[in-house]
Amino acid sequence: MTATNLAPTKKGFPAGMTEERLDEIRLLLDTRRTGFSLEAPFYTDANLFNLDMQAIFSQHWVFACSVAEIPEPGDYVTLDYGPYSLIVLRTDDGGVNVLHNVCRHRGARVLTEPSGTTGNLVCGYHSWTYSPDGDLIHASAPGEMSFDKACYALKRAHVQVVAGLVFLCLAEEPPTDFAEVAELFAPYIGPHELAKTKVAYQQTIVEEGNWKLVMENNRECYHCDGHPELACSLFPTWGLTDETVPTHLTDVWERNQAAQAALEFRCRRYGLPYEVIEDLGRVAGIRISRESLDGEGESFSADGRRLSKKLLGDLPDFRLGRCSMHLQPNSWFHLLGDHVITFGAYPINAHQTLVRTTWLVADDAVEGVDYDLETLTHTWKQTNLQDKAFVELCQTGAGSPFYEQGPYMKSEYQVEAFIGWYIDRMREHVE
Amino acid sequence: MTATNLAPTKKGFPAGMTEERLDEIRLLLDTRRTGFSLEAPFYTDANLFNLDMQAIFSQHWVFACSVAEIPEPGDYVTLDYGPYSLIVLRTDDGGVNVLHNVCRHRGARVLTEPSGTTGNLVCGYHSWTYSPDGDLIHASAPGEMSFDKACYALKRAHVQVVAGLVFLCLAEEPPTDFAEVAELFAPYIGPHELAKTKVAYQQTIVEEGNWKLVMENNRECYHCDGHPELACSLFPTWGLTDETVPTHLTDVWERNQAAQAALEFRCRRYGLPYEVIEDLGRVAGIRISRESLDGEGESFSADGRRLSKKLLGDLPDFRLGRCSMHLQPNSWFHLLGDHVITFGAYPINAHQTLVRTTWLVADDAVEGVDYDLETLTHTWKQTNLQDKAFVELCQTGAGSPFYEQGPYMKSEYQVEAFIGWYIDRMREHVE
Amino acid sequence: MTATNLAPTKKGFPAGMTEERLDEIRLLLDTRRTGFSLEAPFYTDANLFNLDMQAIFSQHWVFACSVAEIPEPGDYVTLDYGPYSLIVLRTDDGGVNVLHNVCRHRGARVLTEPSGTTGNLVCGYHSWTYSPDGDLIHASAPGEMSFDKACYALKRAHVQVVAGLVFLCLAEEPPTDFAEVAELFAPYIGPHELAKTKVAYQQTIVEEGNWKLVMENNRECYHCDGHPELACSLFPTWGLTDETVPTHLTDVWERNQAAQAALEFRCRRYGLPYEVIEDLGRVAGIRISRESLDGEGESFSADGRRLSKKLLGDLPDFRLGRCSMHLQPNSWFHLLGDHVITFGAYPINAHQTLVRTTWLVADDAVEGVDYDLETLTHTWKQTNLQDKAFVELCQTGAGSPFYEQGPYMKSEYQVEAFIGWYIDRMREHVE
């Protein structure tokens, strides 16, 4: 990581980071006001973004894709975020390798497509050829003698596949905490059997906002009135308790309570885990819960009815609501009886974030027969675009010198949990 | 203003400004060569731009719009410059409020249109609702108890309406000098009765140049050969005196002298102020003068004849030439018998400036009957585009290390006055 | 050059360069690993780019154009690179002037077209008028008395025309080494008589890569499998020796040897210089060589046959292979019996470079009769686009913190020579 580091005396910190600036950042971190949004530089400053990349995105486990995106040996996806470029590749033995997409000869990108299928990996510049494990197996320099190919394998990143979800970590020594968390969430994901799903659709959008604004927006439903399509299947009671439910929502509240009780009953009968796990402050911060849906309670449709006719895995019933999981730093998931949606937020720079959304259905579901693609994807395509607009409103606002940290509401406690987690990780990094 | 300040130890200076850099800027200011254009960093450097925003655009009175743009209660325009975003809003009692367009909850832009009409101001993200005075009157967080809405009003800026021109100031304590200057120019603007005008047209263009190049260009007519449309109504004797008028311009000079004498006569008869006021160096620098026009002497048309058939206010005569006003830092105005044009230059960044031009006619003038919109706006639309090209030539030139400060000619003394004013203000700020 | 320098205390170094950063750059230069590509900041860092502009592009002789581009008095081309903007102008006496394209009044660009014909040079802003020598001959400020025009000539750069190739140097005292090198290459270029050629076509492309990546790519043919059109006329034996030629290339090798021997024989018979000159490390680094072409051996066509029917100058024969010249820092040339191609790489910023390619044919060659424009330009148009893609692969790769300097192969020794030359020049500059 020292390659782009113009400041050898401050090894380990990103290019352009001076001691002075680092002290300022330490002060910002130490004086962060709990319960309030971040100070503006966290959303706008390029130096702080570089530090985010280093402290968060090169240290933590990051969701890459599901195995459904790389079902066969040789299948790969490429993934770029911040300054990093990676290849996630299915190997012959069914494993997954993650390789840095940087040729060891002259630094060229080796694979240039977002996804595809490959045998060996051949750099397009001078045909340096790497095995799927990253070993350099061919470098056809004419007349070259004393050149030790063993020194020039593609660099590898750590990888872990949990219940069909692929995570990577760029750190030399990944945080060990993740294994424990994986054990917690695997039982929730497992029954949906992602290995037996296929990609129905993938949407990639660029939001003109800092990645933390994308995540803050994701971690609260206080703004969900702005999601009319999603609101059809969600109960509008997010963040409420028995004590705080307003009169005009009493009916909905009771319908929600009944639906939730029925969902718990079904889960327990089918042996599906039901408990809420919420531990957003730990290194591999997580929240997972099962929530009933309104209407038929099956899926994200206008009437709550299933969007694909094929049940996933060997699930016993469509009426399983949504199993929703949040992982720090950058992913969230909705698992339903009929389909699964995975979301990853990948920072581009201080003010742009790529959000990739993937819809998975049973691998034997037939488009046009078992599901209509437009209908399947409608709710979250719309929701994503609405969220993009919200994030962008905040990014422009944070640019004003008259922006001031605002208070998170009680119903936004998960936003506070995310930001608190972020501040803790950054503090650890700069100390 | 400390929100985006990454450098708490240098409170009051913009993010990224180091002591070292500040010393360099102080030296540039102290060694400025009088009578010459600025050194290149003043036109190109991002740090200096940030300092301009702070020293000039957040400290001084800035022209926002005329009351004709917000005639009715609830009418608003939004105004962005540098990092600032503002709402200029007509209130029920006929006053004008200026509010920072930054929601106090999560920093979202509250109003996103350039102009419109609103009752209360509702943020599109979580529906926080503010009164036209900026008070937070509704924040519908479910289950929120201990939250003091009184602490979260939209921030307000100072506002002053002078003879129908709206000025705002972002400083905590605005410079007091402006009130005195307002008394000077109000008698010139007043008779045109802007409250009884309407917007015929508004043009917004982005010039690829530093705001100071836009202003320098505005403060001299040495380049007016490059404005063929404007030249029809202006006498080509700008900057000349009895002593310096060249032989080939003797005729024009005499025609100009006669027209000017006639104009003075008419003004004195009608009781309209005629004296030139020129005090460009004071904090609220100003120049105002009445200048005769060529041809019919009524308006900015090819033959000098009126462009709208309705006289403004209770003016007694179309033949009033132009009453032209320059205000530091960023506005200029032409007031004629038949219409008024207001101009504001709003910096975007070190190398881009938005220029907004608004044509006002009598509110009872009917388009297509009393005036032809294309003809009314032709001269200044063309002139603005020509000025844009001039400014852009200079901006690219200033980028060369071989650019060197060039001499302002005698006829460019108002440019020197503007630059001298700017240097003085900047020196005060960094001391 | 102090005009854009925000740091008067570090006179001579570009704006924004701090002592701290300069020390880091010195360390990077001192610890450069011989035989390996550069560390990432050399390809990506804006401060280092500014230093490149200063140490290399404002100090060394830079190829501007050939005389064929400005055949008549008054003909000019403008040339922009880094922050510089220049006018290369043919004078009445047949000489060439190079003037900084920055008006001495307010810094405006004087000429705004890429090329054209002019008498005096008139700035479009205030009509300041300069002679072709750059002298200010007219500044029509009204009423100006005490203004010494002699102080405001356009700044001039040094210029040297060698065998029809125009070179410029922005330094006060150009390196003297170039005169010696010009004597070396003039005998190779001379017989092609560029003064009797005309421009058949000029292609300007922007490569999204640092200028050094453009040059590295130019200085090796290890990647030439990626140039199928070019490969038709080149022997695929680049970088090989008797000892290292692989079995499958034995036939080609022998054909190449025979063609090269025949080429040498012809050159000696015609009195054309044949020896390879390779001195890439000197201040005005150079390589020039004659290389046989495959097939008919005449030109860059699919079958090696001539692409224009008119021989250049008084050359005696089409079968002269290619005379190829590389000059540090930024140009290369191919001279053939029927046409000449000149190439210049002009940095825009740290990650963009403009590459200008010009095809010259005999001035009496008639398009459509003596040559087909599409066929003439096909091979190098394609080759340039392929090279652009290669450069761009490397630029994106260099952005990754996991990029690491890679080894140049033996066949890439000219790349090492270029990079070694660059490092030496930069070290001299920062010492």
Side-chain angles (χ1 to χ4, degrees):
Chain A
M1 211 165 314
T2 61
T4 59
N5 195 336
L6 197 48
T9 52
K10 286 176 293 299
K11 250 193 169 93
F13 287 111
M17 182 66 79
T18 62
E19 253 327 305
E20 192 181 355
R21 195 136 253 225
L22 207 51
D23 280 342
E24 293 162 11
I25 291 173
R26 285 191 186 106
L27 187 58
L28 283 177
L29 290 167
D30 286 346
T31 58
R32 191 250 151 171
R33 192 173 171 195
T34 306
F36 282 74
S37 61
L38 290 168
E39 291 211 63
F42 287 102
Y43 303 122
T44 60
D45 184 77
N47 280 102
L48 256 165
F49 177 80
N50 291 341
L51 206 62
D52 282 3
M53 289 308 98
Q54 201 175 63
I56 308 293
F57 281 83
S58 78
Q59 291 301 317
H60 286 264
W61 287 95
V62 167
F63 171 65
C65 65
S66 72
V67 292
E69 294 181 54
I70 45 172
E72 300 293 327
D75 289 350
Y76 69 86
V77 296
T78 57
L79 191 65
D80 288 17
Y81 51 86
Y84 308 110
S85 181
L86 298 148
I87 298 162
V88 183
L89 180 76
R90 197 64 172 265
T91 55
D92 290 345
D93 63 1
V96 177
N97 279 342
V98 178
L99 304 166
H100 284 279
N101 193 6
V102 183
C103 181
R104 293 300 305 279
H105 175 219
R106 298 266 290 277
R109 281 271 179 282
V110 177
L111 297 181
T112 57
E113 297 297 317
S115 63
T117 302
T118 189
N120 290 326
L121 292 80
V122 183
C123 177
Y125 200 176
H126 300 91
S127 300
W128 281 33
T129 303
Y130 302 89
S131 74
D133 284 333
D135 295 330
L136 177 60
I137 53 178
H138 188 61
S140 68
E144 201 60 44
M145 315 272 166
S146 60
F147 169 61
D148 185 2
K149 287 202 287 282
C151 298
Y152 297 104
L154 288 183
K155 295 186 182 182
R156 296 181 63 161
H158 296 274
V159 61
Q160 204 156 333
V161 183
V162 182
L165 298 176
V166 181
F167 298 86
L168 62 86
C169 181
L170 305 184
E172 271 185 52
E173 295 183 19
T176 53
D177 186 43
F178 186 73
E180 208 176 298
V181 167
E183 275 184 44
L184 292 176
F185 71 74
Y188 288 76
I189 316 296
H192 294 262
E193 294 198 60
L194 300 187
K196 293 188 185 158
T197 65
K198 65 173 183 181
V199 174
Y201 189 70
Q202 187 166 73
Q203 178 205 47
T204 299
I205 59 177
V206 174
E207 305 191 7
E208 304 287 327
N210 186 277
W211 71 276
K212 296 186 287 294
L213 290 176
V214 174
M215 298 311 300
E216 290 186 50
N217 175 73
N218 172 251
R219 298 292 151 96
E220 50 96 355
C221 207
Y222 177 19
H223 70 268
C224 282
D225 284 351
H227 296 313
E229 296 82 0
L230 183 60
C232 293
S233 48
L234 293 192
F235 289 99
T237 50
W238 195 87
L240 291 178
T241 63
D242 271 334
E243 288 73 35
T244 61
V245 61
T247 323
H248 74 279
L249 288 178
T250 311
D251 281 3
V252 183
W253 178 255
E254 283 169 5
R255 201 165 73 241
N256 185 1
Q257 295 290 88
Q260 194 67 28
L263 174 60
E264 177 171 2
F265 175 80
R266 275 195 292 276
C267 285
R268 301 215 183 277
R269 190 175 56 178
Y270 302 140
L272 296 171
Y274 174 80
E275 298 307 316
V276 175
I277 297 171
E278 181 168 290
D279 199 354
L280 287 162
R282 69 186 298 164
V283 173
I286 181 171
R287 185 181 198 281
I288 192 163
S289 68
R290 291 199 186 272
E291 314 268 357
S292 53
L293 294 171
D294 207 347
E296 295 296 316
E298 293 180 347
S299 204
F300 287 125
S301 54
D303 56 3
R305 199 178 290 271
R306 68 199 69 170
L307 288 163
S308 172
K309 291 179 188 159
K310 300 278 185 182
L311 264 174
L312 297 187
D314 55 359
L315 290 172
D317 197 330
F318 281 103
R319 289 167 305 153
L320 295 172
R322 61 182 171 109
C323 173
S324 294
M325 178 164 75
H326 290 175
L327 292 178
Q328 317 291 39
N330 76 322
S331 58
W332 61 100
F333 308 85
H334 294 299
L335 298 105
L336 302 102
D338 63 338
H339 75 293
V340 163
I341 322 181
T342 69
F343 303 77
Y346 301 101
I348 296 171
N349 52 44
H351 50 87
Q352 291 188 309
T353 306
L354 184 149
V355 175
R356 182 169 292 155
T357 305
T358 311
W359 286 259
L360 307 176
V361 295
D363 56 9
D364 59 351
V366 178
E367 191 188 334
V369 176
D370 296 312
Y371 65 95
D372 175 70
L373 189 56
E374 207 46 47
T375 315
L376 173 71
T377 56
H378 180 67
T379 292
W380 276 99
K381 266 192 201 160
Q382 292 304 105
T383 302
N384 282 346
L385 292 178
Q386 290 147 3
D387 282 333
K388 171 179 154 74
F390 292 141
V391 164
E392 293 173 357
L393 285 178
C394 289
Q395 184 69 25
T396 49
S400 170
F402 289 83
Y403 162 83
E404 194 177 304
Q405 300 166 268
Y408 296 133
M409 299 287 97
K410 282 210 174 63
S411 57
E412 296 174 301
Y413 78 95
Q414 288 180 31
V415 183
E416 170 60 27
F418 169 74
I419 291 298
W421 172 88
Y422 165 78
I423 292 285
D424 287 347
R425 299 291 88 72
M426 292 291 275
R427 275 191 192 140
E428 286 165 17
H429 186 72
V430 298
E431 262 157 24
Chain B
M1 212 165 314
T2 60
T4 59
N5 195 336
L6 197 49
T9 53
K10 284 177 295 300
K11 249 193 170 93
F13 287 111
M17 181 66 79
T18 61
E19 253 328 305
E20 191 180 356
R21 194 136 254 225
L22 207 51
D23 280 342
E24 294 162 11
I25 290 173
R26 286 193 185 104
L27 187 59
L28 283 176
L29 290 167
D30 286 345
T31 58
R32 193 250 151 170
R33 192 172 171 197
T34 306
F36 283 74
S37 62
L38 291 168
E39 292 211 62
F42 287 102
Y43 303 122
T44 60
D45 185 76
N47 278 103
L48 257 164
F49 177 80
N50 291 341
L51 206 62
D52 282 3
M53 289 308 98
Q54 202 176 63
I56 308 294
F57 280 83
S58 78
Q59 291 301 317
H60 287 264
W61 286 96
V62 167
F63 171 66
C65 63
S66 71
V67 292
E69 295 180 54
I70 45 172
E72 300 293 328
D75 288 349
Y76 69 86
V77 297
T78 57
L79 190 66
D80 288 18
Y81 50 87
Y84 308 110
S85 182
L86 298 147
I87 298 162
V88 182
L89 180 76
R90 197 66 172 264
T91 54
D92 289 345
D93 62 2
V96 176
N97 279 342
V98 178
L99 304 166
H100 285 279
N101 194 5
V102 182
C103 182
R104 293 299 306 278
H105 175 220
R106 296 266 291 276
R109 281 272 178 282
V110 177
L111 297 181
T112 58
E113 297 298 316
S115 64
T117 302
T118 188
N120 290 324
L121 293 79
V122 183
C123 177
Y125 200 174
H126 301 89
S127 302
W128 280 34
T129 303
Y130 302 90
S131 75
D133 284 332
D135 294 330
L136 177 59
I137 53 178
H138 188 61
S140 69
E144 202 61 44
M145 315 272 167
S146 58
F147 167 61
D148 184 1
K149 286 203 287 282
C151 298
Y152 297 104
L154 288 183
K155 295 186 182 180
R156 295 181 64 161
H158 296 274
V159 62
Q160 203 155 334
V161 183
V162 182
L165 299 177
V166 182
F167 297 86
L168 62 85
C169 180
L170 305 184
E172 269 186 53
E173 295 184 17
T176 53
D177 188 42
F178 186 73
E180 206 175 301
V181 167
E183 276 182 43
L184 291 177
F185 71 76
Y188 289 76
I189 315 297
H192 295 261
E193 294 198 59
L194 301 187
K196 292 187 186 159
T197 64
K198 66 172 183 182
V199 175
Y201 189 70
Q202 187 166 72
Q203 177 204 47
T204 298
I205 59 177
V206 174
E207 306 191 5
E208 303 287 325
N210 186 279
W211 71 277
K212 295 185 289 292
L213 290 175
V214 174
M215 296 313 299
E216 291 186 50
N217 175 75
N218 172 251
R219 299 293 152 96
E220 49 96 355
C221 206
Y222 178 18
H223 70 268
C224 283
D225 283 352
H227 295 314
E229 296 82 1
L230 183 60
C232 292
S233 48
L234 293 192
F235 290 97
T237 51
W238 196 87
L240 291 177
T241 63
D242 271 333
E243 288 74 35
T244 62
V245 62
T247 324
H248 74 279
L249 289 178
T250 312
D251 282 2
V252 183
W253 180 254
E254 285 168 6
R255 201 165 72 240
N256 185 1
Q257 296 289 91
Q260 193 69 28
L263 175 60
E264 179 172 0
F265 176 80
R266 275 194 292 276
C267 286
R268 300 214 185 276
R269 191 176 52 179
Y270 302 140
L272 295 170
Y274 174 80
E275 299 306 317
V276 174
I277 297 171
E278 180 169 293
D279 200 353
L280 288 161
R282 68 187 298 164
V283 172
I286 181 173
R287 186 182 197 281
I288 193 163
S289 67
R290 292 202 186 269
E291 314 268 358
S292 53
L293 294 171
D294 208 348
E296 296 295 317
E298 295 180 346
S299 203
F300 288 125
S301 54
D303 55 3
R305 200 179 289 272
R306 67 199 70 169
L307 288 163
S308 171
K309 290 179 189 158
K310 299 277 184 184
L311 265 174
L312 296 187
D314 55 359
L315 290 172
D317 196 331
F318 280 103
R319 290 167 305 151
L320 295 172
R322 60 182 170 108
C323 173
S324 294
M325 177 165 73
H326 290 175
L327 293 178
Q328 315 291 39
N330 76 322
S331 59
W332 60 102
F333 309 84
H334 294 301
L335 298 105
L336 302 103
D338 63 337
H339 73 295
V340 163
I341 323 182
T342 69
F343 303 77
Y346 301 100
I348 297 171
N349 52 43
H351 50 89
Q352 290 188 310
T353 306
L354 185 148
V355 175
R356 182 169 293 155
T357 305
T358 311
W359 286 258
L360 306 176
V361 294
D363 56 9
D364 59 350
V366 178
E367 191 188 332
V369 176
D370 296 311
Y371 64 96
D372 174 69
L373 189 56
E374 207 46 47
T375 315
L376 173 72
T377 56
H378 180 67
T379 293
W380 277 99
K381 265 192 202 161
Q382 291 305 106
T383 302
N384 282 345
L385 292 179
Q386 291 147 3
D387 282 333
K388 171 180 154 75
F390 293 141
V391 164
E392 293 174 356
L393 286 178
C394 289
Q395 184 69 25
T396 48
S400 170
F402 289 84
Y403 162 84
E404 195 177 302
Q405 299 166 268
Y408 295 133
M409 300 287 97
K410 282 209 175 61
S411 57
E412 296 174 301
Y413 78 94
Q414 289 179 31
V415 183
E416 171 59 27
F418 169 73
I419 292 298
W421 173 88
Y422 164 78
I423 292 285
D424 288 347
R425 299 292 89 72
M426 292 291 274
R427 274 190 192 141
E428 287 164 16
H429 186 72
V430 299
E431 262 157 24
Chain C
M1 211 165 314
T2 60
T4 60
N5 195 335
L6 197 48
T9 53
K10 284 176 296 299
K11 247 190 172 98
F13 287 111
M17 182 67 79
T18 61
E19 254 328 304
E20 190 181 356
R21 193 137 255 222
L22 207 51
D23 280 342
E24 294 162 9
I25 290 174
R26 286 192 185 105
L27 187 59
L28 282 177
L29 289 167
D30 286 345
T31 57
R32 192 249 152 170
R33 192 173 171 194
T34 306
F36 282 73
S37 61
L38 291 167
E39 291 210 63
F42 286 102
Y43 303 122
T44 60
D45 185 77
N47 279 102
L48 257 164
F49 177 80
N50 291 341
L51 206 62
D52 282 4
M53 288 309 97
Q54 201 175 63
I56 308 293
F57 280 83
S58 79
Q59 292 302 317
H60 287 264
W61 287 95
V62 167
F63 171 66
C65 64
S66 71
V67 292
E69 294 180 55
I70 45 172
E72 301 293 329
D75 288 349
Y76 70 85
V77 297
T78 56
L79 191 66
D80 288 18
Y81 50 87
Y84 308 111
S85 181
L86 298 148
I87 297 162
V88 183
L89 180 76
R90 198 65 172 265
T91 55
D92 289 345
D93 63 3
V96 177
N97 279 343
V98 178
L99 304 165
H100 284 279
N101 194 7
V102 183
C103 182
R104 293 300 304 279
H105 175 219
R106 297 266 291 276
R109 281 270 179 283
V110 178
L111 297 181
T112 58
E113 297 299 315
S115 64
T117 301
T118 188
N120 290 325
L121 292 80
V122 183
C123 177
Y125 199 173
H126 301 90
S127 300
W128 280 33
T129 303
Y130 302 89
S131 75
D133 285 333
D135 294 331
L136 178 60
I137 54 179
H138 188 62
S140 69
E144 201 62 43
M145 314 273 168
S146 59
F147 168 60
D148 185 1
K149 286 203 287 281
C151 298
Y152 298 104
L154 287 183
K155 296 187 182 181
R156 295 182 62 161
H158 296 274
V159 63
Q160 205 157 330
V161 183
V162 182
L165 299 177
V166 181
F167 298 86
L168 63 86
C169 181
L170 305 184
E172 270 185 52
E173 297 184 18
T176 53
D177 187 42
F178 185 74
E180 206 176 300
V181 167
E183 276 184 43
L184 290 177
F185 71 75
Y188 289 76
I189 315 295
H192 294 262
E193 294 197 60
L194 300 188
K196 294 186 185 161
T197 64
K198 65 172 183 184
V199 175
Y201 189 70
Q202 187 166 72
Q203 177 205 48
T204 298
I205 59 177
V206 174
E207 306 192 5
E208 303 288 327
N210 186 277
W211 72 277
K212 296 185 290 292
L213 290 176
V214 174
M215 297 312 300
E216 291 186 49
N217 175 73
N218 172 252
R219 297 294 151 94
E220 49 95 356
C221 206
Y222 177 19
H223 70 268
C224 283
D225 283 352
H227 295 315
E229 296 82 0
L230 182 61
C232 292
S233 47
L234 294 191
F235 289 99
T237 51
W238 195 87
L240 291 177
T241 63
D242 272 333
E243 288 74 36
T244 61
V245 61
T247 323
H248 74 278
L249 289 178
T250 312
D251 282 3
V252 183
W253 179 254
E254 284 169 4
R255 201 164 74 241
N256 186 3
Q257 295 289 89
Q260 194 67 29
L263 174 61
E264 179 171 2
F265 176 79
R266 276 195 292 276
C267 285
R268 301 214 183 277
R269 191 174 56 176
Y270 301 141
L272 295 171
Y274 175 79
E275 299 306 316
V276 175
I277 296 171
E278 181 168 293
D279 200 354
L280 288 161
R282 69 185 298 164
V283 172
I286 182 173
R287 186 181 197 280
I288 192 164
S289 69
R290 291 200 186 271
E291 315 269 356
S292 53
L293 293 171
D294 208 347
E296 295 295 317
E298 294 179 347
S299 204
F300 286 126
S301 53
D303 56 3
R305 200 177 288 271
R306 68 199 67 168
L307 288 164
S308 171
K309 290 178 189 159
K310 299 278 185 184
L311 264 174
L312 296 187
D314 55 0
L315 290 173
D317 196 331
F318 280 103
R319 289 167 305 150
L320 295 173
R322 61 181 169 108
C323 173
S324 295
M325 178 164 74
H326 290 174
L327 293 178
Q328 317 291 41
N330 75 323
S331 59
W332 59 102
F333 309 85
H334 295 299
L335 298 105
L336 302 102
D338 63 338
H339 74 293
V340 163
I341 322 181
T342 69
F343 302 78
Y346 301 101
I348 296 171
N349 52 43
H351 49 88
Q352 290 188 309
T353 306
L354 184 149
V355 175
R356 182 170 293 155
T357 304
T358 312
W359 285 258
L360 307 176
V361 295
D363 55 10
D364 58 352
V366 178
E367 191 188 333
V369 176
D370 296 312
Y371 66 95
D372 174 69
L373 189 56
E374 207 46 47
T375 314
L376 173 73
T377 56
H378 181 67
T379 292
W380 277 100
K381 265 192 202 160
Q382 292 305 107
T383 302
N384 282 346
L385 292 179
Q386 290 147 6
D387 282 333
K388 172 180 153 74
F390 292 142
V391 164
E392 293 173 356
L393 286 179
C394 290
Q395 185 69 25
T396 47
S400 171
F402 288 84
Y403 162 84
E404 195 178 303
Q405 300 165 268
Y408 295 133
M409 299 286 98
K410 281 208 175 62
S411 56
E412 294 174 302
Y413 79 95
Q414 289 180 28
V415 183
E416 171 59 26
F418 169 74
I419 291 298
W421 173 88
Y422 164 79
I423 292 284
D424 287 348
R425 299 292 88 75
M426 292 290 275
R427 273 190 193 141
E428 286 164 18
H429 186 73
V430 299
E431 263 158 22

